[in-house]
């Protein structure tokens, strides 16, 4: 299919008068996925998407995508009147993996033997969490948290799956870091300043604790020192980049963050990935998956428990930041022993305690690094879903047809390229 460039569109027409004089060319998508991603690749958002009826409309970044032509998937992209919006900030990372997010599908990091996870709808979230925790306790907690009278759109703790499971989607030598929003709730303790600051303080206390010193004695030479590396790397990033801990400062720059900052965070993510890969090779391919699952199983409890501790006057130091979020990261550290116990129950009892704890520390720090290399939303805009399409619209290249609904008559046969 011919690709249509936003910049080409701008050169073709720069005023309302010239737009009226020049007719926009028509294009034909060969699949629904190709049609849907045309909008996201050009920084637009779908306002209507019912292609089975020939009805679809996307707008944004100074352009509109709409139907044109005789075929079901024929469309045109036309420029709108000039606006003050920044073209750069509307662009998404150009990648087939990023396209999946647009359909509520989180691509899993293949070297860690993680599959894709569907998280775009409530049912998808429950199904994914149950696949990671067959006991059902975590799924029940997510359901309880989403009570209509409480926080129906929030996925406290579960949203950690995004930075923990996804590959590095940001591309080297590029400052384009914007991603589509794959779920109703994507931010969490691994994005907020409170999570960063409390993690730093708790890490310093943890590696100095007599208990950890004792546990290290039974571990090999390499693994025990990774926690110290995390501490030093964290302080290095904090010293050189004020936006490392402060997501408000970081979010002031979307697709124009410092290349030096992005490369530094990316390099730290790579190092953490290498350490975890070594553990997978040493102990087994499901090591990281179970570690992530054990974390998520307990992470979904932080919201209620943080507020309960605050009401009981038992909240710990918030370092002058939002108290309930700071308490949440304190609870993450409290859960570490539970994560270790969960890992042992899943068959990883031969792994030294210090190695398991170090792996969790590396995983969380790696999640911090991932978030600083990507952007989905700004500030407190946590519960939004206008960009996301149902996952059933996503088409694997091996499929000959795409069913658009549950009814048998709602389908369209997709032509092969």
């Amino acid at each position: 299919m011919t690709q249509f460039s936003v910049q080409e569109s701008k050169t073709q027409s720069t005023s309302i008068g010239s737009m009226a004089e020049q007719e926009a060319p028509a294009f034909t998508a060969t699949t629904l996925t190709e049609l849907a991603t045309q909008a996201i690749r050009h920084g637009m958002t779908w306002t209507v998407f019912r292609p089975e009826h020939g009805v679809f409309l996307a707008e944004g970044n100074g352009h509109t995508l709409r139907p044109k032509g005789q075929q079901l998937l024929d469309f045109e992209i036309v420029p709108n009147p000039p606006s003050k919006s920044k073209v750069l900030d509307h662009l998404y990372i150009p990648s087939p993996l990023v396209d999946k997010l647009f359909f509520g599908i989180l691509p899993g990091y293949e070297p860690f033997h993680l599959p894709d996870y569907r998280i775009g709808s409530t049912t998808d979230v429950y199904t994914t969490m149950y696949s990671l925790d067959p006991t059902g306790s975590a799924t029940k907690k997510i359901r309880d948290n989403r009570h209509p009278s409480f926080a129906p759109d929030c996925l406290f703790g579960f949203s950690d799956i995004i930075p923990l499971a996804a590959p590095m989607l940001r591309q080297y030598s590029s400052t384009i870091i914007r991603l589509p929003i794959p779920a109703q709730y994507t931010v969490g303790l691994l994005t907020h300043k409170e999570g960063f600051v409390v993690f730093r303080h708790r890490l310093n206390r943890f590696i100095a604790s007599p208990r950890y010193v004792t546990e290290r004695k039974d571990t090999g030479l390499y693994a025990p020192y990774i926690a110290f590396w995390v501490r030093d790397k964290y302080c290095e990033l904090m010293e050189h980049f004020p936006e490392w801990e402060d997501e408000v400062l970081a979010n002031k720059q979307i697709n124009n963050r410092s290349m030096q900052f992005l490369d530094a965070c990316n390099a730290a993510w790579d190092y953490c990935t290498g350490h975890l890969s070594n553990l997978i090779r040493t102990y087994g391919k499901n090591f990281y998956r179970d570690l992530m699952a054990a974390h998520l199983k307990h992470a979904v409890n932080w919201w209620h428990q943080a507020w309960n501790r605050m009401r009981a006057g038992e909240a710990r130091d918030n370092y002058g930041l939002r108290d309930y979020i700071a308490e949440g990261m304190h609870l993450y550290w409290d859960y570490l022993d539970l994560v270790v116990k969960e890992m042992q129950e899943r068959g990883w009892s031969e792994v030294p305690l210090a190695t398991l704890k170090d792996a969790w520390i590396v995983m969380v720090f790696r999640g911090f690094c991932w978030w600083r290399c990507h952007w989905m939303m700004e500030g407190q805009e946590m519960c939004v879903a206008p960009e996301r399409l149902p996952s059933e619209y996503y088409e694997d290249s091996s499929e000959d047809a795409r069913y658009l609904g549950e009814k048998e008559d709602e389908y369209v046969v997709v032509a092969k390229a």
Side-chain angles (χ1 to χ4, degrees):
M1 175 187 166
T2 303
Q3 294 296 312
F4 186 75
S5 166
V6 170
Q7 295 300 325
E8 290 173 359
S9 170
K10 289 191 171 185
T11 59
Q12 288 175 7
S13 178
T14 57
S15 68
I16 298 178
S18 60
M19 276 188 280
E21 298 172 0
Q22 182 174 355
E23 184 178 359
F27 301 90
T28 300
T30 57
T31 66
L32 289 176
T33 301
E34 186 178 24
L35 172 64
T37 55
Q38 282 299 316
I40 191 172
R41 290 291 180 87
H42 292 91
M44 290 178 275
T45 298
W46 286 106
T47 55
V48 180
F49 194 75
R50 296 197 302 273
E52 65 271 31
H53 303 300
V55 179
F56 48 87
L57 180 69
E59 298 177 300
N61 200 20
H63 289 76
T64 296
L65 186 154
R66 61 195 182 193
K68 181 180 182 179
Q70 301 299 318
Q71 301 299 317
L72 194 62
L73 302 183
D74 289 352
F75 67 94
E76 65 177 355
I77 300 178
V78 297
N80 296 332
S83 67
K84 298 180 180 180
S85 63
K86 297 181 180 180
V87 173
L88 184 65
D89 283 350
H90 283 271
L91 298 180
Y92 294 88
I93 298 173
S95 164
L97 293 178
V98 173
D99 293 343
K100 291 184 178 182
L101 296 173
F102 192 54
F103 299 88
I105 301 172
L106 179 69
Y109 186 55
E110 290 186 2
F112 283 5
H113 307 283
L114 298 178
D116 292 349
Y117 296 104
R118 294 178 182 262
I119 60 174
S121 67
T122 299
T123 300
D124 288 340
V125 168
Y126 293 161
T127 301
T128 293
M129 189 67 250
Y130 189 80
S131 72
L132 294 169
D133 172 37
T135 70
S137 63
T139 303
K140 182 179 184 303
K141 175 56 65 175
I142 295 174
R143 186 179 290 109
D144 292 344
N145 285 345
R146 293 168 62 85
H147 191 277
S149 63
F150 179 54
D153 295 316
C154 292
L155 299 171
F156 302 112
F158 177 82
S159 57
D160 288 350
I161 194 175
I162 296 174
L164 300 186
M168 177 60 66
L169 298 169
R170 177 253 174 175
Q171 300 178 11
Y172 281 108
S173 301
S174 174
T175 62
I176 304 299
I177 61 172
R178 188 184 181 191
L179 297 174
I181 302 168
Q184 289 175 301
Y185 186 90
T186 58
V187 297
L189 299 184
L190 305 189
T191 64
H192 293 311
K193 182 176 183 178
E194 291 81 359
F196 278 66
V197 172
V198 173
F199 178 87
R200 168 166 54 88
H201 285 280
R202 289 294 298 263
L203 176 60
N204 287 331
R205 286 164 46 187
F206 174 78
I207 60 180
S209 66
R211 179 183 176 187
Y212 181 62
V213 172
T214 300
E215 291 171 348
R216 285 178 51 210
K217 293 180 180 179
D218 299 326
T219 308
L221 294 176
Y222 176 71
Y225 296 97
I226 190 67
F228 294 87
W229 178 88
V230 169
R231 178 198 62 186
D232 295 343
K233 179 57 66 174
Y234 186 108
C235 292
E236 178 185 321
L237 291 169
M238 181 178 65
E239 178 183 357
H240 290 94
F241 307 104
E243 62 268 41
W244 164 248
E245 282 194 335
D246 192 343
E247 87 268 22
V248 174
L249 183 60
N251 287 343
K252 289 181 179 179
Q253 298 176 317
I254 300 175
N255 282 338
N256 59 342
R257 287 184 187 173
S258 162
M259 183 76 76
Q260 184 181 7
F261 173 61
L262 292 174
D263 286 347
C265 293
N266 206 147
W269 185 92
D270 288 340
Y271 191 90
C272 293
T273 299
H275 174 77
L276 294 168
S277 296
N278 286 336
L279 295 179
I280 292 172
R281 284 192 292 268
T282 300
Y283 297 109
K285 70 175 187 178
N286 290 327
F287 177 85
Y288 183 85
R289 177 190 179 279
D290 285 351
L291 180 65
M292 181 184 73
H295 168 81
L296 294 175
K297 178 178 179 178
H298 298 287
V300 296
N301 295 304
W302 80 264
W303 178 265
H304 275 296
Q305 292 184 3
W307 281 103
N308 288 340
R309 290 185 65 91
M310 289 171 58
R311 295 188 188 100
E314 299 174 352
R316 287 154 286 189
D317 198 341
N318 59 36
Y319 305 99
L321 303 171
R322 288 174 292 183
D323 49 7
Y324 67 98
I325 299 180
E327 185 60 29
M329 182 52 74
H330 280 297
L331 286 166
Y332 271 21
W333 279 94
D334 294 347
Y335 298 152
L336 182 51
D337 285 337
L338 296 175
V339 170
V340 169
K341 181 181 178 181
E342 177 76 16
M343 287 292 285
Q344 292 172 334
E345 292 175 350
R346 286 173 175 253
W348 305 103
S349 57
E350 79 280 7
V351 183
L353 292 177
T355 300
L356 289 171
K357 293 180 179 181
D358 284 344
W360 179 85
I361 291 170
V362 171
M363 180 179 69
V364 172
F365 178 69
R366 181 173 176 268
F368 287 151
C369 295
W370 189 94
W371 265 120
R372 288 301 180 257
C373 290
H374 302 92
W375 186 91
M376 286 186 185
M377 58 193 65
E378 184 176 358
Q380 295 302 306
E381 299 173 357
M382 298 183 295
C383 305
V384 294
E387 304 173 359
R388 192 170 62 258
L389 296 175
S391 59
E392 58 263 27
Y393 282 115
Y394 183 78
E395 298 151 21
D396 187 272
S397 59
S398 64
E399 295 182 71
D400 292 324
R402 176 75 270 160
Y403 287 83
L404 302 174
E406 296 181 357
K407 295 182 179 179
E408 189 173 340
D409 59 342
E410 293 183 358
Y411 71 94
V412 57
V413 176
V414 178
K416 287 298 175 183

